[in-house]
Amino acid sequence: MVSLSQQKAFLLRGGEEVAESRISTGREGYATPTGHFKVIRLDQDHRSSLYGDYVDANGTVVKANVDTRKQSRPPGAHFLGASMPYFVEFKPGYGLHAGYLPGYPASHGCVRMPYWKARQFYHAVHIGTGVVVRP
């Protein structure tokens, strides 16, 4: 269960809380969807297909923090999606994953968690596990 107002996620097993994590959810203009969902994909080494950096052949960042829908690729560069380890997708394009937690909603809609908590949640669920996101 994810609580947007508390900026916390709770791992429940048989209705009992077994783990809790601080989180960072969608910032203004990039709301995290609320409702009842089910896990649709698990990807331990996921990378974003929209957000990341344009890098050169050596992996040096040419243009950082891009949205591929809004910023064109510089000549000679390629896109490297942002790393989203332990991705638990619950709605197309939205999921829980390891990431930066500044202490407030800051993501593009996903639920960011500390690395070790994301790993714990990832290994505790399976395709079809229910996910509830509350305001």
Side-chain angles (χ1 to χ4, degrees), residues 3-22:
S3 171
L4 301 180
S5 61
Q6 293 180 56
Q7 288 293 284
K8 288 187 178 181
F10 305 90
L11 181 60
L12 307 174
R13 188 170 290 132
E16 297 291 321
E17 182 182 319
V18 295
E20 177 182 313
S21 179
R22 59 193 174 88

Side-chain angles (χ1 to χ4, degrees), residues 2 32-40 89-92 94 96 128-134:
V2 174
T32 301
T34 58
H36 294 258
F37 308 96
K38 291 189 183 296
V39 174
I40 57 174
E89 190 171 24
F90 58 84
K91 182 178 180 180
Y94 297 92
L96 297 91
T129 297
V131 177
V132 178
V133 182
R134 294 191 175 143

Side-chain angles (χ1 to χ4, degrees), residues 7 22-25 99-107 112:
Q7 288 293 284
R22 59 193 174 88
I23 60 174
S24 179
T25 56
Y100 174 62
L101 284 95
Y104 51 86
S107 79
R112 298 180 189 164

Side-chain angles (χ1 to χ4, degrees), residues 62-82:
V62 175
K63 195 172 202 178
N65 300 316
V66 300
D67 177 337
T68 58
R69 299 167 299 184
K70 298 177 182 176
Q71 291 143 312
S72 58
R73 181 178 53 83
H78 65 275
F79 177 71
L80 180 61

Side-chain angles (χ1 to χ4, degrees), residues 51-62:
Y51 307 107
D53 302 322
Y54 286 124
V55 299
D56 65 17
N58 297 319
T60 303
V61 175
V62 175

